[in-house]
């Protein structure tokens, strides 16, 4: 990979690029994503609202190469009082940028942020069992498997 990668907080002005990034990832890796490209129809305004929610309820990070968003990590704390110390995240990286440490950069930034945010005690996620790259990264960072949902995905 030749271009420098920048990890930064996502802002409302990123909405169009985030939509395009999401469409790219959904087309490239349909077998490890929970949403299909046909289901993904979000307006720029809806995307801006989604981005802004992270300011108060979590964190949105983007990975940028040559001014283009090529990776995304979003983390949100639970809105339920009894679970408010927990948060879930998802991450996506465009295929041509995978296996270059971008996932680790995004995850390390999330973990660093979570250590400073005293409300966060547990970070969790769901990942498709066939997503070997993601599972390898999460295990490398110390995440533990807590269970599997059988016959959960069609």
């Amino acid at each position: 990979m030749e271009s420098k990668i920048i990890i930064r907080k996502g802002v409302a002005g990123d909405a169009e690029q985030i939509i395009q990034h999401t469409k790219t990832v959904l087309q490239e890796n349909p077998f490890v994503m929970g949403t299909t490209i046909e289901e993904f129809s979000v307006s720029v305004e809806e995307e801006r609202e989604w981005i802004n929610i992270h300011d108060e309820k979590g964190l949105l990070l983007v990975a940028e190469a040559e001014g283009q968003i090529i990776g995304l990590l979003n983390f949100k704390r639970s809105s339920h009082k009894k679970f408010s110390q927990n948060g879930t995240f998802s991450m996506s990286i465009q295929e041509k940028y995978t296996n270059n440490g971008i996932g680790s950069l995004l995850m390390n930034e999330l973990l660093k942020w979570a250590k400073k945010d005293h409300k966060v005690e547990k970070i969790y996620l769901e990942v498709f069992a066939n997503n070997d790259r993601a599972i390898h990264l999460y295990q490398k960072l110390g995440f533990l498997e807590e269970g599997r949902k059988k016959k959960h995905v069609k």
Side-chain angles (χ1 to χ4, degrees):
M1 183 177 47
E2 300 161 19
S3 58
K4 182 181 181 206
I5 301 299
I6 296 168
I7 306 296
R8 64 172 177 79
K9 277 185 74 174
V11 296
D14 293 326
E16 289 180 50
Q17 277 199 48
I18 289 174
I19 290 169
Q20 186 54 52
H21 163 76
T22 303
K23 287 179 180 179
T24 299
V25 171
L26 290 171
Q27 289 170 331
E28 291 176 338
N29 288 296
F31 300 111
V32 296
M33 304 297 286
T35 302
T36 66
I37 188 71
E38 296 81 18
E39 291 174 307
F40 184 72
S41 61
V42 60
S43 71
V44 173
E45 188 53 42
E46 289 169 327
E47 192 70 5
R48 284 187 185 123
E49 289 175 20
W50 179 80
I51 291 166
N52 289 332
I53 286 171
H54 291 85
D55 285 340
E56 55 188 71
K57 295 187 178 186
L59 178 68
L60 178 67
L61 297 172
V62 296
E64 222 176 40
E66 299 174 2
Q68 293 298 308
I69 293 174
I70 53 87
L72 182 70
L73 183 147
N74 70 296
F75 171 85
K76 283 186 12 189
R77 282 187 298 274
S78 175
S79 57
H80 300 287
K81 189 172 183 176
K82 289 184 178 184
F83 303 110
S84 62
Q85 76 281 7
N86 301 324
T88 184
F89 77 93
S90 64
M91 180 170 55
S92 58
I93 300 167
Q94 292 176 27
E95 193 60 36
K96 75 179 189 176
Y97 295 95
T98 59
N99 298 318
N100 288 298
I102 297 168
S104 292
L105 290 172
L106 287 164
M107 287 298 302
N108 286 328
E109 199 63 33
L110 168 62
L111 296 172
K112 188 168 50 173
W113 173 85
K115 283 181 183 171
K116 291 178 187 173
D117 185 322
H118 300 292
K119 297 175 195 161
V120 178
E121 296 176 19
K122 181 178 181 179
I123 296 172
Y124 65 96
L125 71 143
E126 292 183 1
V127 63
F128 280 62
N130 64 338
N131 194 344
D132 295 329
R133 278 191 304 222
I135 292 168
H136 174 76
L137 171 62
Y138 304 141
Q139 289 174 338
K140 181 174 86 170
L141 293 171
F143 283 78
L144 302 173
E145 182 178 314
E146 291 188 343
R148 290 183 180 239
K149 294 181 177 182
K150 304 288 185 184
K151 297 183 180 182
H152 190 68
V153 177
K154 285 198 176 253

